[in-house]
Amino acid sequence: MDKNFIFHQLFEKETSTYTYLLGDQKTKEAVLIDPVVEMVDRDLKLIEDLGLKLKYVLDTHVHADHITASGEIRKRTNAKVGLSSAYDMACPDLHLEDGQEIQFGNYTIKVIHTPGHTSGCLSYSIGGMVFTGDALLIRGCGRTDFQEGSSERLFQSVRDKLFSLADETIVYPGHDYKGFTKSSIGLEKKLNPRLKLENSKEQFCEIMNNLKLSYPKKIQEAVPANLLCGLPFKSEILNTGFVDGIPTVTAEDVYTKLGHVKVIDVRGSDEYNNELGHIQNAELSTLGPKLDKRLDGEDKNNEVVFVCRSGKRSGEATRMALNKGFEKVYNLQGGMLRWNELHFPIERDMGGS
Ligand SMILES: [Fe+2]
C-alpha cells in the first residue's frame, strides 16, 4: 500500500478480538472493521485524533462472543454499517454480497463471502491484506457448531476463496488467543493444523466435529444484540424476543400493558374495522407511504408495537422503523388473528386516519 494508507490493528482483551481501522491520509475517509461495544470511546478517539471521517463500519459476521459497536458508532458518526446479505437482517445499511467493492478515499475493499463459521461470514481484501474474521484464524479457524455453521462450507470457503489469494497476502484475523497479530496465506497453507493443504475435507470435518467447545460466555446477549447491530433493544415495558431477526412481542404481553405502549396498526383502512376489529387506541397508519411519513414525524426513542392481520406486514413495518433508526420497535406476533384467538377486546369504530 502507498504512504497515504492508514492502518491500525486494535485489540480487545476480554474476548481477544481485533478491530481494524483503515484510512486514507489524503481524503481522510476511513473504515472500521469489527469494532467491539466496550471499546467505542477508544476507537472514536483514535479516529478523531487522526482527523479521519468514518465512512463505513464493516462487521465480518454476526458475532456470538462479543457485542458489535457498529450500531453505536453509526449513531455517533453517521457512518454506514455493512454486513452480509446472507443474514437477512434489517439493521445494516449495506447488505454486502460476494465480489462487491467498497470505496473509501482512493482505496477499494473487495468483499469475499466466506461462509462456514456462520452463514454470512465475510472476508475483506484490500491491497495485499485480507481481513478474515473467524473464517481463517492464525493456525486455526472459527467453530462451525452454531449460527448455521458448516465445516464443509468453511473448508470450501478457505480452500477455494482465501487460499486462492497470493501466498504473500497478509492475513489479519478477527481474534487471536495466543498473541499473534498476523499471518499470511502461504503460511496458513503450510502450518494451519486444520486447514493446511495436506488435510482432506474429511480430516477437517473430523477435527471440527470433535472440538467439544463450550458455548461462548456472552452468546445469550451477544447474538440477539448483534442482530440489531449491537444496540440495546431491551424494552422497559414489554417482554421482547426475536423471531426471524425481528424484535417481537406477544399478544398476551401487549394486552397486559395496554395504555402504556403505542400501538400502530399497519393494515388497510378497510381492515381496521373488519371482523377482526382493532386494538383499543391503535393508530391506523397503513404500511407504505402513509406509515413512512408517520414514522418520520415520530420520536425515535418511543416504544412502538406494530400490528397487522397475521404479523407479516407489521414485521415489515418493524424493519422499516429499525432502518429509520428506531431502537424500541416490536412486531406483535400473530397479529389480530392471534389477538382474536385469545378473545382480547377489540374495537370497531371509525378511528384512525
Ligand atoms: Fe465469530
Side-chain angles (χ1 to χ4, degrees):
M1 297 300 275
D2 62 55
K3 63 175 178 25
N4 289 318
F5 186 70
I6 295 171
F7 173 79
H8 287 263
Q9 182 176 32
L10 302 154
F11 189 60
E12 191 282 317
K13 276 189 287 187
E14 203 195 332
T15 58
S16 302
T17 300
Y18 284 123
T19 298
Y20 299 95
L21 175 66
L22 317 179
D24 183 341
Q25 185 64 52
K26 242 185 177 161
T27 67
K28 303 292 181 194
E29 284 187 340
V31 170
L32 201 55
I33 299 175
D34 283 341
V36 179
V37 79
E38 286 85 358
M39 308 309 281
V40 168
D41 291 339
R42 174 199 66 186
D43 297 355
L44 292 183
K45 170 97 172 45
L46 177 62
I47 289 165
E48 197 192 316
D49 287 349
L50 297 172
L52 296 173
K53 191 187 169 314
L54 196 63
K55 192 173 182 192
Y56 298 114
V57 182
L58 307 176
D59 269 325
T60 52
H61 62 290
V62 171
H63 303 278
D65 61 331
H66 66 268
I67 296 177
T68 176
S70 60
E72 179 64 24
I73 291 178
R74 169 170 58 190
K75 223 164 60 178
R76 286 162 63 170
T77 64
N78 282 325
K80 298 244 180 294
V81 172
L83 204 65
S84 169
S85 63
Y87 295 122
D88 190 26
M89 281 162 53
C91 76
D93 305 287
L94 305 177
H95 297 86
L96 301 170
E97 305 273 354
D98 186 57
Q100 195 169 331
E101 294 190 337
I102 302 166
Q103 307 276 345
F104 67 100
N106 292 314
Y107 304 103
T108 305
I109 294 172
K110 196 172 164 208
V111 176
I112 312 172
H113 185 211
T114 47
H117 168 58
T118 75
S119 57
C121 282
L122 299 177
S123 296
Y124 299 111
S125 101
I126 174 170
M129 295 183 269
V130 63
F131 300 91
T132 53
D134 295 1
L136 180 63
L137 300 175
I138 298 169
R139 316 291 189 267
C141 64
R143 61 200 291 171
T144 53
D145 56 336
F146 54 68
Q147 288 184 291
E148 294 172 14
S150 153
S151 33
E152 282 90 0
R153 284 185 93 188
L154 182 56
F155 187 83
Q156 231 62 57
S157 292
V158 173
R159 287 296 183 83
D160 297 353
K161 291 182 169 169
L162 296 178
F163 281 6
S164 71
L165 298 169
D167 277 359
E168 54 276 17
T169 308
I170 303 171
V171 172
Y172 286 106
H175 300 280
D176 192 84
Y177 306 96
K178 292 183 188 146
F180 290 115
T181 54
K182 61 184 176 183
S183 182
S184 72
I185 293 295
L187 275 179
E188 292 309 310
K189 279 182 182 172
K190 243 192 283 175
L191 299 176
N192 193 302
R194 298 179 186 173
L195 287 151
K196 60 187 172 189
L197 289 181
E198 66 185 76
N199 283 5
S200 68
K201 188 175 178 174
E202 289 66 35
Q203 280 172 305
F204 175 70
C205 293
E206 174 76 20
I207 295 169
M208 295 310 288
N209 294 338
N210 289 294
L211 291 177
K212 300 195 176 74
L213 298 166
S214 52
Y215 271 23
K217 268 188 287 179
K218 293 189 185 175
I219 189 168
Q220 298 294 356
E221 52 170 326
V223 174
N226 287 338
L227 290 170
L228 270 181
C229 293
L231 286 170
F233 66 95
K234 251 198 120 25
S235 165
E236 274 138 43
I237 306 167
L238 298 155
N239 295 316
T240 60
F242 259 96
V243 177
D244 299 329
I246 297 175
T248 300
V249 283
T250 62
E252 289 92 330
D253 194 44
V254 172
Y255 174 62
T256 61
K257 284 143 192 173
L258 274 182
H260 301 280
V261 286
K262 181 173 284 198
V263 180
I264 297 184
D265 194 319
V266 301
R267 295 175 296 167
S269 50
D270 50 331
E271 295 171 271
Y272 188 71
N273 288 308
N274 68 6
E275 73 286 355
L276 294 173
H278 57 259
I279 297 172
Q280 185 194 6
N281 293 329
E283 248 182 76
L284 175 64
S285 202
T286 306
L287 182 68
K290 260 197 181 161
L291 180 66
D292 196 45
K293 214 173 139 206
R294 169 77 188 72
L295 289 177
D296 287 340
E298 178 82 29
D299 182 345
K300 289 193 170 58
N301 293 313
N302 285 349
E303 298 208 4
V304 180
V305 172
F306 294 104
V307 62
C308 68
R309 179 178 173 274
S310 69
K312 198 160 173 260
R313 279 171 290 172
S314 50
E316 273 176 55
T318 311
R319 271 176 187 275
M320 187 193 221
L322 288 168
N323 283 333
K324 283 181 183 286
F326 285 82
E327 291 166 22
K328 297 173 189 165
V329 285
Y330 311 97
N331 182 22
L332 196 152
Q333 209 178 350
M336 289 308 295
L337 287 172
R338 177 72 184 145
W339 191 269
N340 277 270
E341 208 175 276
L342 294 163
H343 305 290
F344 290 153
I346 57 166
E347 289 189 348
R348 281 198 195 99
D349 58 27
M350 292 308 292
S353 58

